[in-house]
Amino acid sequence: MTLSHIATSPSRSNILRPLTAAFSCTLPLRRPISSAANGDSTTLTIETSVPFTAHNIEEPSRSVETTPKELLTFFRDMALMRRMEIAADSLYKAKLIRGFCHLYDGQEAVAVGMEAAITKKDAIITAYRDHCIFLGRGGTLLEVFAELMGRQAGCSRGKGGSMHFYKKEFGFYGGHGIVGAQVPLGCGLAFAQKYSKDEAVSFAMYGDGAANQGQLFEALNISALWDLPAILVCENNHYGMGTAEWRAAKSPAYYKRGDYVPGLKVDGMDALAVKQACKFAKEHALKNGPIILEMDTYRYHGHSMSDPGSTYRTRDEISGVRQERDPIERIRKLILSHDIATEKDLKDTEKEVRKEVDEAIAKAKSNARYA
């Protein structure tokens, strides 16, 4: 398949469509806020970038309530995740990280939006692109870099590496290297939650490349039979390794794949949309059983560090998504448009984040390797 065909295929226009659609609706970034005094507790109501698309269920409201504090937290957390992944890229190229390494930059809105809607009682299990999910669950930078470099202070004591992060006490059950294998495990977590009457849910995350796995449908079937509080989250970054979704799936509408199970398509580059969808999905799952969320997102790096990421997609496509849909820039614009912080304040935050990452790397390098 030639690059020219890929660049002009329907897939590329779909990747860029969400923000274009948002602008075509002429939705202003500034929204009415409550009459409460300005400060961290001020309530802002902001409309999602594009509407949700629902299957066998009524979609949630596009109007999302947030606060200045939450928006600043989103900005800082995503900036930290982005800087962490860029640093991991450099460490890998310096041969301080070995083996497989899959980076999450571009997809940060999924991690922070999901965390904003749930608690640590809820469980998350994911595939091998797990660094930022782990950090969002409460993991530390030292645990991340020590694990990546095979040091004892790592979250898996340096024995798991990039693909096998874990923190049970914070409801994070991995990091799994076998494509799609975490989905049945996630449904098992949901079974345990229902059996124990925990009033909590499990998020089983997978990519579009795993969406055709038979085990996913088997697990979904029994989850639906038993009304388990399982939320299947397809992080659709549009490429399974180097294969575009339209070449691998006859029907890439992954939120409809459950047939009898409801589904929701979400702009996964919009942290507030992710938060709204996950809150909605949790309420549904606790009352009615499983639901599928398809997060329309994008990864800037290749599939893994061994993949340059530019042989099956054009550089123009990557830069186009960065310019039009970047999740950090979206939050930056909201913060500035509501006069929550200045450009200098946000630059200072980014400097602080860079320093934190550098300090964590230095500590990780000085830590002993696993025995």
Side-chain angles (χ1 to χ4, degrees):
M1 193 68 64
T2 63
L3 282 175
S4 60
H5 178 73
I6 294 174
T8 57
S9 70
S11 175
R12 184 179 187 280
S13 60
N14 289 340
I15 291 168
L16 296 175
R17 187 173 296 158
L19 196 69
T20 307
F23 283 134
S24 68
C25 293
T26 62
L27 298 172
L29 280 172
R30 184 181 289 276
R31 292 281 165 193
I33 61 176
S34 71
S35 58
N38 286 335
D40 288 347
S41 61
T42 301
T43 300
L44 296 84
T45 302
I46 297 173
E47 204 160 79
T48 61
S49 53
V50 293
F52 298 103
T53 309
H55 167 69
N56 281 348
I57 197 168
E58 188 174 336
E59 67 272 9
S61 169
R62 290 182 63 186
S63 297
V64 187
E65 287 193 354
T66 186
T67 63
K69 182 179 179 180
E70 183 174 65
L71 291 176
L72 289 170
T73 300
F74 281 177
F75 181 83
R76 194 182 201 287
D77 288 351
M78 288 196 288
L80 188 66
M81 291 174 180
R82 179 74 56 88
R83 185 63 201 166
M84 179 184 75
E85 295 294 67
I86 291 170
D89 173 287
S90 299
L91 291 169
Y92 193 93
K93 289 171 180 173
K95 298 186 178 179
L96 290 168
I97 298 174
R98 302 283 186 150
F100 294 104
C101 185
H102 305 80
L103 302 181
Y104 200 74
D105 49 317
Q107 300 183 207
E108 299 93 348
V110 177
V112 301
M114 183 168 57
E115 282 296 336
I118 63 176
T119 72
K120 293 298 186 288
K121 280 184 63 180
D122 299 306
I124 298 178
I125 189 167
T126 189
Y128 36 76
R129 203 177 304 279
D130 59 353
H131 309 162
C132 294
I133 304 294
F134 170 81
L135 196 68
R137 287 266 81 184
T140 66
L141 288 171
L142 176 59
E143 288 175 310
V144 169
F145 288 115
E147 188 60 40
L148 289 173
M149 291 189 273
R151 312 297 171 121
Q152 289 182 11
C155 59
S156 299
R157 300 181 183 177
K159 297 181 180 182
S162 171
M163 298 194 293
H164 300 291
F165 283 28
Y166 194 83
K167 204 170 186 72
K168 182 181 177 181
E169 60 268 32
F170 287 172
F172 182 63
Y173 292 86
H176 294 265
I178 304 301
V179 174
Q182 71 279 5
V183 177
L185 297 177
C187 294
L189 290 169
F191 174 79
Q193 289 168 328
K194 182 164 186 175
Y195 186 84
S196 302
K197 298 184 170 120
D198 288 343
E199 288 300 306
V201 299
S202 289
F203 289 80
M205 306 178 74
Y206 58 99
D208 51 289
N212 299 316
Q213 287 276 318
Q215 57 191 323
L216 188 153
F217 295 95
E218 294 174 55
L220 185 61
N221 178 63
I222 201 163
S223 296
L225 278 171
W226 293 346
D227 295 328
L228 301 183
I231 300 170
L232 274 63
V233 182
C234 177
E235 291 186 280
N236 181 10
N237 60 27
H238 302 279
Y239 296 95
M241 296 186 71
T243 304
E245 59 178 344
W246 55 270
R247 295 180 64 190
K250 182 64 178 175
S251 172
Y254 300 109
Y255 69 102
K256 294 181 179 179
R257 288 286 192 90
D259 186 18
Y260 43 82
V261 173
L264 198 65
K265 186 172 183 178
V266 185
D267 182 0
M269 305 293 269
D270 180 347
L272 290 170
V274 175
K275 170 190 166 183
Q276 186 84 329
C278 290
K279 179 183 176 183
F280 175 84
K282 179 176 177 177
E283 291 171 357
H284 170 89
L286 287 172
K287 294 177 183 176
N288 306 299
I291 183 172
I292 296 174
L293 299 180
E294 179 187 343
M295 301 293 179
D296 180 4
T297 185
Y298 198 81
R299 57 170 163 81
Y300 295 151
H301 265 84
H303 170 73
S304 70
M305 284 302 297
S306 61
D307 168 24
S310 56
T311 57
Y312 49 86
R313 55 185 184 174
T314 66
R315 294 191 184 278
D316 285 345
E317 177 185 298
I318 301 168
S319 63
V321 175
R322 280 185 181 275
Q323 290 168 16
E324 296 184 23
R325 299 185 64 205
D326 185 81
I328 299 177
E329 292 308 310
R330 282 181 165 182
I331 295 296
R332 187 195 302 273
K333 288 174 183 175
L334 280 173
I335 290 171
L336 294 175
S337 69
H338 286 287
D339 299 323
I340 296 167
T342 65
E343 187 66 59
K344 183 183 181 300
D345 293 332
L346 299 182
K347 289 288 184 186
D348 288 344
T349 297
E350 289 171 321
K351 287 178 184 176
E352 289 170 11
V353 160
R354 183 185 290 263
K355 184 180 178 183
E356 280 184 39
V357 169
D358 290 344
E359 288 174 353
I361 291 171
K363 286 181 183 177
K365 285 180 178 177
S366 64
N367 191 245
R369 293 187 179 277
Y370 72 83

Short mmCIF file of all heavy atoms in Angstrom, two decimals, residues 243-272:
data_model
loop_
_atom_site.label_atom_id
_atom_site.label_comp_id
_atom_site.label_asym_id
_atom_site.label_seq_id
_atom_site.Cartn_x
_atom_site.Cartn_y
_atom_site.Cartn_z
N THR A 243 -0.47 -1.06 11.00
CA THR A 243 -1.63 -1.33 10.15
C THR A 243 -2.77 -0.39 10.47
O THR A 243 -3.25 -0.35 11.61
CB THR A 243 -2.10 -2.79 10.31
OG1 THR A 243 -1.01 -3.68 10.03
CG2 THR A 243 -3.24 -3.10 9.35
N ALA A 244 -3.21 0.37 9.47
CA ALA A 244 -4.32 1.31 9.67
C ALA A 244 -5.60 0.54 9.99
O ALA A 244 -5.81 -0.58 9.49
CB ALA A 244 -4.50 2.17 8.43
N GLU A 245 -6.46 1.14 10.79
CA GLU A 245 -7.68 0.46 11.22
C GLU A 245 -8.53 -0.02 10.05
O GLU A 245 -9.11 -1.11 10.10
CB GLU A 245 -8.50 1.38 12.13
CG GLU A 245 -8.90 2.68 11.46
CD GLU A 245 -9.76 3.58 12.33
OE1 GLU A 245 -10.30 3.08 13.33
OE2 GLU A 245 -9.91 4.77 12.01
N TRP A 246 -8.59 0.77 8.99
CA TRP A 246 -9.46 0.41 7.87
C TRP A 246 -8.91 -0.77 7.07
O TRP A 246 -9.65 -1.38 6.28
CB TRP A 246 -9.68 1.62 6.95
CG TRP A 246 -8.42 2.25 6.42
CD1 TRP A 246 -7.70 3.26 7.00
CD2 TRP A 246 -7.71 1.91 5.21
NE1 TRP A 246 -6.60 3.58 6.23
CE2 TRP A 246 -6.59 2.76 5.13
CE3 TRP A 246 -7.94 0.98 4.20
CZ2 TRP A 246 -5.67 2.70 4.08
CZ3 TRP A 246 -7.03 0.92 3.15
CH2 TRP A 246 -5.91 1.78 3.09
N ARG A 247 -7.64 -1.10 7.28
CA ARG A 247 -7.08 -2.29 6.62
C ARG A 247 -7.26 -3.55 7.47
O ARG A 247 -7.14 -4.67 6.96
CB ARG A 247 -5.58 -2.08 6.36
CG ARG A 247 -5.28 -0.98 5.36
CD ARG A 247 -3.79 -0.82 5.14
NE ARG A 247 -3.20 -2.01 4.56
CZ ARG A 247 -1.88 -2.22 4.43
NH1 ARG A 247 -1.04 -1.32 4.88
NH2 ARG A 247 -1.43 -3.32 3.87
N ALA A 248 -7.53 -3.37 8.77
CA ALA A 248 -7.60 -4.52 9.69
C ALA A 248 -9.02 -4.85 10.11
O ALA A 248 -9.29 -5.98 10.52
CB ALA A 248 -6.76 -4.24 10.93
N ALA A 249 -9.93 -3.88 10.03
CA ALA A 249 -11.28 -4.08 10.54
C ALA A 249 -12.32 -3.73 9.48
O ALA A 249 -12.31 -2.63 8.95
CB ALA A 249 -11.51 -3.23 11.79
N LYS A 250 -13.19 -4.68 9.17
CA LYS A 250 -14.27 -4.40 8.23
C LYS A 250 -15.20 -3.33 8.78
O LYS A 250 -15.71 -2.49 8.05
CB LYS A 250 -15.06 -5.69 7.94
CG LYS A 250 -16.17 -5.52 6.92
CD LYS A 250 -15.60 -5.14 5.54
CE LYS A 250 -16.70 -5.03 4.51
NZ LYS A 250 -16.18 -4.56 3.21
N SER A 251 -15.40 -3.37 10.11
CA SER A 251 -16.21 -2.34 10.77
C SER A 251 -15.38 -1.72 11.89
O SER A 251 -15.29 -2.26 12.99
CB SER A 251 -17.49 -2.94 11.37
OG SER A 251 -18.16 -1.97 12.16
N PRO A 252 -14.76 -0.55 11.62
CA PRO A 252 -13.95 0.09 12.67
C PRO A 252 -14.75 0.94 13.65
O PRO A 252 -14.18 1.73 14.38
CB PRO A 252 -12.98 0.96 11.85
CG PRO A 252 -13.73 1.30 10.61
CD PRO A 252 -14.65 0.13 10.33
N ALA A 253 -16.07 0.77 13.66
CA ALA A 253 -16.90 1.45 14.67
C ALA A 253 -16.88 0.56 15.92
O ALA A 253 -17.82 -0.17 16.21
CB ALA A 253 -18.32 1.63 14.15
N TYR A 254 -15.79 0.67 16.67
CA TYR A 254 -15.54 -0.28 17.76
C TYR A 254 -16.56 -0.16 18.89
O TYR A 254 -16.79 -1.12 19.61
CB TYR A 254 -14.12 -0.09 18.29
CG TYR A 254 -13.07 -0.34 17.22
CD1 TYR A 254 -12.33 0.72 16.70
CD2 TYR A 254 -12.85 -1.61 16.73
CE1 TYR A 254 -11.39 0.51 15.70
CE2 TYR A 254 -11.90 -1.84 15.73
CZ TYR A 254 -11.18 -0.77 15.22
OH TYR A 254 -10.25 -0.99 14.23
N TYR A 255 -17.16 1.00 19.05
CA TYR A 255 -18.14 1.17 20.12
C TYR A 255 -19.43 0.39 19.83
O TYR A 255 -20.24 0.16 20.74
CB TYR A 255 -18.45 2.65 20.33
CG TYR A 255 -19.20 3.33 19.21
CD1 TYR A 255 -20.56 3.58 19.30
CD2 TYR A 255 -18.55 3.71 18.03
CE1 TYR A 255 -21.25 4.21 18.28
CE2 TYR A 255 -19.22 4.33 17.01
CZ TYR A 255 -20.57 4.58 17.13
OH TYR A 255 -21.23 5.19 16.09
N LYS A 256 -19.61 -0.02 18.58
CA LYS A 256 -20.79 -0.82 18.22
C LYS A 256 -20.52 -2.32 18.24
O LYS A 256 -21.42 -3.13 18.03
CB LYS A 256 -21.26 -0.45 16.81
CG LYS A 256 -21.79 0.96 16.66
CD LYS A 256 -22.25 1.19 15.22
CE LYS A 256 -22.82 2.60 15.04
NZ LYS A 256 -23.24 2.83 13.64
N ARG A 257 -19.27 -2.70 18.49
CA ARG A 257 -18.88 -4.10 18.38
C ARG A 257 -19.57 -5.01 19.40
O ARG A 257 -19.57 -6.23 19.24
CB ARG A 257 -17.36 -4.22 18.53
CG ARG A 257 -16.54 -3.71 17.36
CD ARG A 257 -16.63 -4.67 16.19
NE ARG A 257 -15.66 -4.36 15.16
CZ ARG A 257 -14.42 -4.85 15.10
NH1 ARG A 257 -13.99 -5.65 16.06
NH2 ARG A 257 -13.62 -4.52 14.11
N GLY A 258 -20.08 -4.42 20.48
CA GLY A 258 -20.72 -5.25 21.50
C GLY A 258 -22.09 -5.76 21.10
O GLY A 258 -22.64 -6.62 21.78
N ASP A 259 -22.66 -5.22 20.00
CA ASP A 259 -23.98 -5.64 19.52
C ASP A 259 -25.04 -5.38 20.60
O ASP A 259 -25.62 -4.31 20.65
CB ASP A 259 -23.94 -7.11 19.10
CG ASP A 259 -25.24 -7.56 18.45
OD1 ASP A 259 -26.02 -6.68 18.02
OD2 ASP A 259 -25.48 -8.78 18.37
N TYR A 260 -25.26 -6.34 21.47
CA TYR A 260 -26.26 -6.23 22.53
C TYR A 260 -25.76 -5.39 23.71
O TYR A 260 -26.53 -5.06 24.61
CB TYR A 260 -26.62 -7.63 23.05
CG TYR A 260 -25.41 -8.52 23.22
CD1 TYR A 260 -24.61 -8.45 24.36
CD2 TYR A 260 -25.02 -9.40 22.20
CE1 TYR A 260 -23.47 -9.22 24.50
CE2 TYR A 260 -23.89 -10.17 22.33
CZ TYR A 260 -23.11 -10.08 23.48
OH TYR A 260 -21.97 -10.84 23.61
N VAL A 261 -24.45 -5.07 23.73
CA VAL A 261 -23.87 -4.24 24.80
C VAL A 261 -23.80 -2.80 24.32
O VAL A 261 -23.30 -2.53 23.22
CB VAL A 261 -22.46 -4.75 25.19
CG1 VAL A 261 -21.79 -3.79 26.17
CG2 VAL A 261 -22.55 -6.15 25.78
N PRO A 262 -24.28 -1.85 25.10
CA PRO A 262 -24.24 -0.44 24.67
C PRO A 262 -22.81 0.06 24.46
O PRO A 262 -21.85 -0.49 25.03
CB PRO A 262 -24.90 0.31 25.84
CG PRO A 262 -25.62 -0.71 26.61
CD PRO A 262 -24.91 -2.00 26.42
N GLY A 263 -22.68 1.10 23.66
CA GLY A 263 -21.37 1.67 23.39
C GLY A 263 -21.44 3.17 23.20
O GLY A 263 -22.50 3.73 22.91
N LEU A 264 -20.28 3.81 23.35
CA LEU A 264 -20.20 5.26 23.23
C LEU A 264 -18.87 5.62 22.59
O LEU A 264 -17.82 5.14 23.01
CB LEU A 264 -20.29 5.89 24.62
CG LEU A 264 -20.64 7.37 24.75
CD1 LEU A 264 -22.06 7.63 24.25
CD2 LEU A 264 -20.50 7.80 26.21
N LYS A 265 -18.93 6.45 21.54
CA LYS A 265 -17.71 6.95 20.92
C LYS A 265 -17.40 8.33 21.49
O LYS A 265 -18.27 9.19 21.57
CB LYS A 265 -17.86 7.04 19.40
CG LYS A 265 -16.56 7.43 18.71
CD LYS A 265 -16.66 7.33 17.19
CE LYS A 265 -15.32 7.67 16.54
NZ LYS A 265 -15.38 7.54 15.07
N VAL A 266 -16.12 8.52 21.89
CA VAL A 266 -15.70 9.70 22.64
C VAL A 266 -14.49 10.33 21.96
O VAL A 266 -13.62 9.61 21.46
CB VAL A 266 -15.33 9.31 24.09
CG1 VAL A 266 -15.00 10.53 24.93
CG2 VAL A 266 -16.41 8.45 24.73
N ASP A 267 -14.42 11.65 21.96
CA ASP A 267 -13.20 12.32 21.50
C ASP A 267 -12.14 12.12 22.57
O ASP A 267 -12.12 12.80 23.59
CB ASP A 267 -13.44 13.80 21.26
CG ASP A 267 -12.20 14.51 20.72
OD1 ASP A 267 -11.16 13.85 20.55
OD2 ASP A 267 -12.26 15.73 20.47
N GLY A 268 -11.24 11.18 22.35
CA GLY A 268 -10.21 10.84 23.32
C GLY A 268 -9.08 11.84 23.42
O GLY A 268 -8.13 11.62 24.18
N MET A 269 -9.16 12.94 22.66
CA MET A 269 -8.17 14.01 22.77
C MET A 269 -8.71 15.17 23.61
O MET A 269 -8.06 16.20 23.76
CB MET A 269 -7.79 14.52 21.37
CG MET A 269 -7.30 13.44 20.43
SD MET A 269 -5.73 12.72 20.92
CE MET A 269 -4.57 13.78 20.03
N ASP A 270 -9.91 15.00 24.15
CA ASP A 270 -10.59 16.01 24.95
C ASP A 270 -10.76 15.45 26.36
O ASP A 270 -11.61 14.59 26.61
CB ASP A 270 -11.95 16.33 24.32
CG ASP A 270 -12.75 17.38 25.08
OD1 ASP A 270 -12.38 17.71 26.23
OD2 ASP A 270 -13.74 17.87 24.52
N ALA A 271 -9.95 15.92 27.31
CA ALA A 271 -9.96 15.37 28.67
C ALA A 271 -11.33 15.50 29.33
O ALA A 271 -11.75 14.60 30.07
CB ALA A 271 -8.90 16.07 29.52
N LEU A 272 -12.03 16.59 29.06
CA LEU A 272 -13.35 16.78 29.67
C LEU A 272 -14.38 15.83 29.09
O LEU A 272 -15.26 15.35 29.80
CB LEU A 272 -13.80 18.23 29.48
CG LEU A 272 -13.00 19.26 30.30
CD1 LEU A 272 -13.37 20.68 29.86
CD2 LEU A 272 -13.23 19.09 31.79
#
